[in-house]
Amino acid sequence: MSGADERMVREELSALERVRTLLQEEPYVLPPSEAQIVAELVRLREELPKAKDEDAPALLQQYDLHHAWLEQVRAARARPEVDPDSPYFAHLRLEEEGRSRDVFLGKATRIARGIRIVDWRHAPVSRLFYAYQQGDEYEEPLGDRVHAGEITARRTVTIRSGELLRVDAPEGAWVREPGGSFHALDRSPPKLAGGQGTALRAHEVGHAQGRRLGTEGVVRADKHLPDIAGLIDPEQFELVTRPSSGFVVVRGTAGSGKTTVALHRIAWLAYSDPSVDSDRTLVLVFSPALREYVSHVLPALGVSRVRIRDYREWASDQRRRHFPQLPRKTREDTPAVVVRLKLHPAMHEVLAEQVKRSARASDDPDAEAPEVVPGAGAVWDDVVSALTDIELLGRVLGAADPGAFTEEDLRRVATWVRDRAAEVVARAEGDTEADPTLDLEDDALLLHAWQLRVGPLRAKGGAPLRYRHVAVDEVQDFSPLEIRVLLGCLDERQSITLAGDTQQHVMKEAGFTSWSGFLRQLGVEGTHVDTLRVAYRSTRPIVSFALDLLGDLLEDEPPLVTREGPPVELFRFTDHGQAVAFLGDTLKELVRHEPMASVALLAPDDATAALYAEGLRAAEVPRLRRVIAHDFTFAPGVEVATMASVKGLEFDYVVILEPTASHFPDRPDARRVLHVAATRAIHQLWLTCVGTPSPVLPVVR
């Protein structure tokens, strides 16, 4: 190393030695036990009612003091302690009014003997690290006054087991060798670059994107979509231009164009039959985010009046129309065994047998209480009876899927359903304290039971609900029962497009196992399934990484890939604050150089998403948005979201946050979730990890 390099490393070694000496010589002292304080509070509370008037004020004062002391003790115990093995991850040197001071950022705060370690999440001074670069001047309110000065040093460090392993600074990066010496890295720092504008986004629809798609919104005499040959390959074109009646079933790996085929097929049908571009055509997707995405694409294809809904929304509306007397509220705490049984494919046979049995017994079981909608009461009774008849459930489910449910499972389901039905009855009988709810899965059961018992579902005017065409995207996450409801709503053409990929199947309870089994459960066994074999969205490194994630879940030969790109990279950190600092610098540079780029930071859960969003907001990353309730904008910028919310979407850049062993153990569902997250990336994919990486991750740089 050069003299300057050696000086910088020695500075960091010296700083770490001072910090560890402090922590050793002045160990953290636990606050006193709460027990004595609580005992005194109890004594004071017991004395107050019988105290003399002249003594009461003093007792109250003592009670208030002890209560405040208890809160301080509890806060001190909850406060994190600086870890001597990894006390901080960043070093900031500030020059103010001719004086220099060093500040270290970590997961806890400790200020003593001239050493300042602050919690990066809460300390105001940490803003200087995230919002400024080395050499920048600052003027910021910190504490009770405004501080002005210059950032003379801004470094991140990696410390494990009490040893300094790496130093990163604007001047360079240095790493420790196994023998203890340091050497300078000669490679350029990692960066996100070169992928701007590769993802489809809303701001382009009707402008550049609309022109590229060649959609002026006029019907061509030749019945061909304008410029379609430049957008889709011959295999996709053959599927798009299939006859307007019957089933089209499309499978393919992530990014192979399944959604493209489904949407272009609607546009193709609309060119020859204008009635397709109406509310008689329904596009159903599995999430609100994908619904918003599709709602921007179809108008660019000259199709503007088609209904685009997520399935939960559509089914809920239909159930409320047909069963207005039932609760409107649904719950999210339904036991997994109840969800799994209600979505099981064999529930079609269970309902069919129950409907036949009850119809023979009585044509009008609710004759004494006229229904708001004729037939609704009988259908409700059928569903409740079917779900509480353990003999019927055991016989039908046992024959269809032996061993899937134990007798105890069936009893738990029956008890759950009886309790929910009792709440509905209690409210109907005037019990204002009853708060009945339905399970989300009840919508499909009730609607299918209506079709079996009463007949076709009804449109708003009361006529049979009939669709000219239905397209279902991400069909692998729908249950066969949910798709059966849709099949019952098709007109005489029976025109439907189903698109999906079993390798992206993340809804374990939905019951999708294979295409042949799925079609058999729908009663359309023998329907041909077309496979798209070219992966257009992602680059070769991303596709290879995503397929390796699947392991033995990979179903086919690897798809053909059309583009090369940067390697997939994994970055490990000792602390979340260090990861936020790294991403903050990288993302600010990316937004500055590629203002039209779309970036997704995908977290395993809401808590992790919130942690990174707050940190990056403090780092002043431009165009940063936290996605809540699937509210993606599809505009340039950086969106922090959960992995569960991005099915079917795509972004120029993707960073997978915290793919740790605790979040993603070696299980099929974990592999599929990571596979879906990885394949959202078009140009470049990174992973950042604090802690032990998941065992399902392939070896990456």
Side-chain angles (χ1 to χ4, degrees):
M1 294 190 298
S2 68
D5 292 350
E6 186 173 348
R7 177 184 57 79
M8 196 167 299
V9 171
R10 287 191 179 278
E11 280 185 5
E12 295 306 326
L13 287 169
S14 176
L16 178 59
E17 184 179 359
R18 293 199 316 273
V19 168
R20 285 179 57 80
T21 299
L22 166 68
L23 296 175
Q24 184 176 7
E25 293 179 353
E26 298 183 17
Y28 181 76
V29 179
L30 287 174
S33 167
E34 299 178 22
Q36 291 182 334
I37 305 174
V38 171
E40 184 64 12
L41 282 170
V42 171
R43 185 189 68 78
L44 291 169
R45 189 173 58 193
E46 291 174 348
E47 286 190 12
L48 275 169
K50 39 188 185 180
K52 296 179 181 180
D53 291 344
E54 61 270 22
D55 296 334
L59 288 172
L60 280 171
Q61 186 178 25
Q62 289 183 52
Y63 185 88
D64 290 342
L65 286 172
H66 278 76
H67 195 274
W69 190 15
L70 179 63
E71 289 183 347
Q72 291 173 7
V73 168
R74 286 177 172 171
R77 285 186 176 276
R79 195 176 300 127
E81 177 185 352
V82 172
D83 180 5
D85 287 338
S86 183
Y88 54 88
F89 61 84
H91 178 191
L92 194 64
R93 182 169 296 150
L94 310 176
E95 187 81 26
E96 293 184 6
E97 299 176 351
R99 297 177 58 188
S100 179
R101 63 175 174 141
D102 293 291
V103 179
F104 302 93
L105 275 64
K107 290 182 285 190
T109 296
R110 186 73 188 277
I111 300 176
R113 288 167 44 178
I115 293 175
R116 300 176 183 85
I117 303 175
V118 299
D119 188 327
W120 72 276
R121 296 162 294 188
H122 308 299
V125 73
S126 66
R127 169 176 165 74
L128 299 182
F129 180 83
Y130 288 105
Y132 294 88
Q133 297 297 315
Q134 184 168 302
D136 287 351
E137 295 183 349
Y138 62 87
E139 185 174 349
E140 291 284 347
L142 303 174
D144 56 356
R145 69 184 184 91
V146 174
H147 288 250
E150 180 184 349
I151 310 291
T152 57
R154 182 183 182 277
R155 305 167 187 164
T156 59
V157 294
T158 301
I159 302 170
R160 289 197 182 98
S161 301
E163 287 194 345
L164 180 68
L165 301 181
R166 177 168 173 146
V167 179
D168 286 275
E171 296 86 352
W174 301 269
V175 295
R176 180 190 288 267
E177 297 283 4
S181 61
F182 282 79
H183 77 276
L185 294 178
D186 56 5
R187 73 182 184 93
S188 59
K191 64 188 299 185
L192 297 169
Q196 175 175 268
T198 50
L200 174 64
R201 289 183 295 277
H203 71 279
E204 294 176 322
V205 172
H207 186 59
Q209 183 72 18
R211 288 199 299 272
R212 182 174 68 83
L213 292 172
T215 52
E216 295 84 357
V218 297
V219 177
R220 301 287 181 102
D222 59 5
K223 308 298 184 186
H224 282 68
L225 288 178
D227 302 328
I228 197 170
L231 295 171
I232 63 175
D233 64 26
E235 187 178 38
Q236 294 172 334
F237 185 83
E238 192 275 329
L239 293 173
V240 166
T241 57
R242 287 275 177 88
S244 63
S245 61
F247 281 66
V248 172
V249 183
V250 186
R251 67 188 288 262
T253 191
S256 60
K258 300 180 298 297
T259 304
T260 296
V261 166
L263 300 183
H264 279 75
R265 178 163 167 72
I266 291 172
W268 172 270
L269 296 175
Y271 272 97
S272 58
D273 181 357
S275 70
V276 172
D277 187 12
S278 69
D279 60 5
R280 293 186 60 210
T281 293
L282 177 67
V283 177
L284 281 178
V285 296
F286 198 74
S287 72
L290 190 53
R291 176 196 62 204
E292 292 302 311
Y293 178 87
V294 171
S295 71
H296 293 303
V297 177
L298 275 177
L301 296 175
V303 179
S304 59
R305 292 180 290 275
V306 166
R307 302 295 300 274
I308 306 165
R309 309 290 297 275
D310 71 79
Y311 183 83
R312 299 296 188 198
E313 175 188 65
W314 177 84
S316 177
D317 285 351
Q318 299 302 326
R319 188 257 301 163
R320 290 175 180 178
R321 178 184 304 130
H322 291 79
F323 302 89
Q325 73 275 36
L326 291 181
R328 297 177 70 84
K329 291 172 57 179
T330 55
R331 60 194 308 137
E332 297 182 357
D333 62 345
T334 309
V337 67
V338 178
V339 174
R340 186 162 56 90
L341 186 141
K342 288 187 174 184
L343 292 179
H344 196 280
M347 282 305 299
H348 165 68
E349 285 76 21
V350 172
L351 288 175
E353 183 168 335
Q354 173 62 37
V355 165
K356 289 179 182 177
R357 185 166 60 187
S358 59
R360 287 195 300 266
S362 172
D363 291 332
D364 186 11
D366 292 328
E368 296 181 1
E371 302 172 60
V372 178
V373 177
V379 173
W380 167 253
D381 288 343
D382 281 338
V383 172
V384 172
S385 297
L387 291 170
T388 55
D389 189 332
I390 295 176
E391 186 280 328
L392 173 62
L393 291 172
R395 175 164 45 82
V396 177
L397 291 169
D401 194 359
F405 298 93
T406 66
E407 185 172 346
E408 178 58 29
D409 289 338
L410 301 182
R411 293 188 186 282
R412 286 182 60 199
V413 172
T415 299
W416 175 267
V417 173
R418 286 194 195 96
D419 290 346
R420 303 290 78 76
E423 293 170 356
V424 172
V425 172
R427 188 57 180 264
E429 293 178 347
D431 183 355
T432 56
E433 294 186 1
D435 187 23
T437 56
L438 296 180
D439 297 330
L440 287 171
E441 298 72 29
D442 289 334
D443 290 347
L445 288 169
L446 288 163
L447 295 175
H448 189 52
W450 177 285
Q451 292 170 324
L452 293 171
R453 178 70 182 264
V454 180
L457 298 181
R458 300 173 183 176
K460 286 184 178 179
L465 179 64
R466 295 300 186 200
Y467 289 111
R468 170 68 178 81
H469 182 78
V470 172
V472 184
D473 200 14
E474 304 292 349
V475 71
Q476 74 278 353
D477 283 328
F478 291 79
S479 75
L481 193 73
E482 290 168 331
I483 302 300
R484 274 187 180 272
V485 173
L486 297 172
L487 297 182
C489 298
L490 297 176
D491 67 12
E492 66 280 359
R493 299 175 184 84
Q494 295 289 290
S495 180
I496 187 168
T497 303
L498 304 177
D501 174 14
T502 55
Q503 295 174 153
Q504 298 182 62
H505 173 43
V506 296
M507 298 298 293
K508 294 182 293 183
E509 295 85 1
F512 195 110
T513 54
S514 66
W515 282 104
S516 59
F518 187 72
L519 295 172
R520 182 176 65 255
Q521 291 151 359
L522 292 180
V524 291
E525 190 173 9
T527 299
H528 182 65
V529 178
D530 293 280
T531 302
L532 300 175
R533 302 189 182 278
V534 181
Y536 291 104
R537 176 189 297 144
S538 304
T539 62
R540 189 179 308 280
I542 295 171
V543 171
S544 297
F545 175 83
L547 295 179
D548 286 345
L549 281 170
L550 291 173
D552 57 9
L553 299 177
L554 183 63
E555 297 176 349
D556 298 306
E557 292 295 317
L560 300 174
V561 185
T562 61
R563 295 184 297 119
E564 297 294 337
V568 176
E569 296 190 78
L570 169 66
F571 300 94
R572 297 187 62 183
F573 302 95
T574 58
D575 188 272
H576 289 106
Q578 187 183 31
V580 168
F582 170 76
L583 288 174
D585 291 346
T586 300
L587 293 171
K588 284 189 283 190
E589 181 181 1
L590 174 65
V591 173
R592 185 165 58 250
H593 290 97
E594 298 186 20
M596 300 304 289
S598 66
V599 187
L601 273 58
L602 304 182
D605 51 37
D606 287 325
T608 305
L611 175 69
Y612 276 85
E614 290 166 8
L616 293 171
R617 191 171 292 113
E620 297 187 349
V621 172
R623 298 179 183 173
L624 177 74
R625 296 180 294 274
R626 165 82 193 285
V627 175
I628 299 175
H630 303 269
D631 59 341
F632 290 89
T633 63
F634 305 104
V638 181
E639 299 192 291
V640 185
T642 61
M643 297 181 196
S645 65
V646 292
K647 284 285 292 291
L649 307 184
E650 57 185 38
F651 305 87
D652 297 328
Y653 302 93
V654 168
V655 180
I656 296 178
L657 306 173
E658 303 309 314
T660 61
S662 58
H663 283 121
F664 300 98
D666 191 352
R667 296 199 312 251
D669 58 323
R671 288 180 175 274
R672 289 191 177 107
V673 169
L674 285 172
H675 173 79
V676 170
T679 52
R680 302 310 97 196
I682 294 179
H683 178 69
Q684 197 167 354
L685 173 66
W686 279 4
L687 301 90
T688 65
C689 194
V690 176
T692 304
S694 167
V696 310
L697 293 181
V699 176
V700 295
R701 288 176 49 190

